Amino acid sequence: MECCRFATLKSMSGGKNIIAIGKDTIRKEAASVAALEALLDEQFEKAVQLIVQSKGRVVISGIGKSAIVAQKIVATLNSTGTPAVFLHAADAIHGDLGMIQEQDVVMLLSKSGESPEIKMLLSFIRGFGNPLIGMVGNLQSGLARQSDIVLNAFVAQEACLNNLAPTSSTTVQMVLGDALAIALMELRGFGTEDFARFHPGGTLGKKLYLRVQELYIHNEKPRVDRATPLKEVIMEITSKRLGAAAVTDASGKLLGIITDGDLRRMLERDGMKESTTAGDIMTNSPVTIEAEALAIEALDLMRTHDITRLVVTSGTQYLVFIDLNNLIREGII
């Protein structure tokens, strides 16, 4: 039986261009998303204002694929400063309606707006008196008629061959949810520091909160004086294994740096001279970063200047070097 099924599949795919099918799917979904822009109206603005002014959460519900999209929208809202919870439409009518609190805003997602579970849920929510936002693809549906605010998620065609499988419609719901989240984020003035508080884990979290001073705890601190002889400069750079040394005065003020590249260029140009000192070789205005700066800022500086190490300072005082390996170890890259 299995052999017959696979034989059928192979014969069906024989005349198909699989890449063309994939591209056609992308084109159809892209067209649906592009059309969504024209559907955005004052109802969208009312929805955003309603949520911003609410003292409760956004309770988002749906059935089938719309329920999965609802969960994604909930996750995005929570991570961008708008408290939200997911309520599965089927579970709602079997006891989970209790999670809807008096000050909550409810949002229901449905392509048709006529699913049995959605229709049943509508009557209960209307009885609770919570403001209701309907994200729906059919403006003549029961969901559209009974919602206080309607977000038009109409799609002319699903991407699937039979115009049945939720594809374009769920993509449009997802994009509309993102538009809501970003609008709410901007109205709340939700910035980088807020984002960092909500995303402390993983690479994203580190990019938002990890600071330069947390990178160099075990780093060597190569340093020479302006008058240090060339031989001692080479020994300092070699022993500390960072490929560079800072040049400072007696108080620790940064005067410049010498890199192994500076040494090579000097030796190629002038050869080894006993009279050469650190002051003769150093770069006077090195790229520096403050210890309090974010690690991601250090990476940006390295990329901008096409270098692999930075001098860390506190004001004019030399502290230490950090290099690309510090950032790699922390997962910033």
Side-chain angles (χ1 to χ4, degrees):
M1 197 69 176
E2 281 293 300
C3 291
C4 293
R5 186 170 73 87
F6 282 114
T8 303
L9 288 173
K10 287 178 182 177
S11 65
M12 286 174 61
S13 63
K16 300 281 186 180
N17 184 323
I18 293 174
I19 294 176
I21 294 171
K23 289 184 176 181
D24 185 56
T25 301
I26 293 169
R27 275 195 299 270
K28 286 176 179 176
E29 295 203 11
S32 294
V33 171
L36 178 62
E37 185 178 355
L39 301 180
L40 222 60
D41 57 15
E42 70 280 354
Q43 292 286 293
F44 177 80
E45 183 176 355
K46 287 180 180 178
V48 172
Q49 293 290 357
L50 173 65
I51 295 170
V52 165
Q53 294 165 13
S54 169
K55 295 180 180 179
R57 308 156 303 170
V58 185
V59 179
I60 308 181
S61 185
I63 195 76
K65 303 301 185 294
S66 291
I68 297 171
V69 175
Q71 291 179 70
K72 190 274 177 185
I73 296 174
V74 164
T76 302
L77 289 174
N78 280 322
S79 70
T80 53
T82 298
V85 293
F86 170 67
L87 172 64
H88 196 283
D91 294 334
I93 57 180
H94 291 284
D96 283 2
L97 274 170
M99 75 167 57
I100 301 177
Q101 303 298 304
E102 185 178 348
Q103 295 181 319
D104 291 342
V105 174
V106 178
M107 183 161 70
L108 297 185
L109 275 61
S110 175
K111 179 188 176 183
S112 69
E114 297 289 353
S115 302
E117 296 87 352
I118 294 295
K119 291 170 76 173
M120 188 178 297
L121 187 55
L122 268 171
S123 61
F124 291 112
I125 292 173
R126 293 285 67 184
F128 287 177
N130 294 76
L132 175 62
I133 300 170
M135 185 185 293
V136 60
N138 177 8
L139 297 187
Q140 307 306 314
S141 64
L143 175 57
R145 289 196 304 270
Q146 295 189 58
S147 295
D148 299 303
I149 297 172
V150 178
L151 299 178
N152 190 350
F154 171 77
V155 295
Q157 183 182 14
E158 297 287 8
C160 89
L161 183 64
N162 301 311
N163 195 27
L164 293 173
T167 45
S168 298
S169 58
T170 49
T171 301
V172 163
Q173 288 176 341
M174 196 91 73
V175 172
L176 196 46
D178 286 343
L180 270 175
I182 299 305
L184 289 163
M185 186 178 175
E186 294 202 14
L187 259 65
R188 295 182 191 280
F190 190 90
T192 303
E193 290 186 3
D194 300 303
F195 207 83
R197 286 192 298 114
F198 291 168
H199 299 76
T203 301
L204 177 59
K206 285 188 175 183
K207 287 181 178 180
L208 293 169
Y209 74 78
L210 189 69
R211 299 195 178 273
V212 168
Q213 63 190 6
E214 299 170 62
L215 296 175
Y216 59 72
I217 297 172
H218 302 296
N219 283 15
E220 295 280 6
K221 301 177 181 179
R223 189 202 71 81
V224 295
D225 299 320
R226 185 192 289 270
T228 302
L230 175 59
K231 184 177 179 180
E232 292 181 27
V233 171
I234 294 173
M235 291 176 62
E236 179 72 0
I237 292 176
T238 303
S239 65
K240 299 298 171 58
R241 295 180 298 180
L242 282 175
V247 182
T248 73
D249 64 15
S251 69
K253 179 181 178 181
L254 181 69
L255 303 176
I257 68 164
I258 301 172
T259 68
D260 48 11
D262 293 328
L263 289 174
R264 284 194 301 273
R265 286 186 289 273
M266 182 275 299
L267 290 170
E268 288 173 0
R269 184 180 65 249
D270 303 325
M272 191 77 173
K273 293 182 179 178
E274 291 290 333
S275 61
T276 303
T277 65
D280 299 323
I281 314 166
M282 71 179 189
T283 298
N284 292 311
S285 301
V287 181
T288 65
I289 191 165
E290 287 286 317
E292 290 289 328
L294 290 172
I296 191 66
E297 294 176 41
L299 177 60
D300 289 341
L301 274 175
M302 289 183 191
R303 285 173 170 166
T304 299
H305 295 278
D306 195 24
I307 54 179
T308 59
R309 67 182 68 84
L310 286 171
V311 185
V312 182
T313 57
S314 176
T316 60
Q317 296 297 111
Y318 163 66
L319 297 179
V320 70
F321 279 88
I322 61 167
D323 64 13
L324 209 55
N325 288 326
N326 294 127
L327 299 171
I328 292 171
R329 280 195 294 271
E330 291 295 338
I332 300 298
I333 301 176

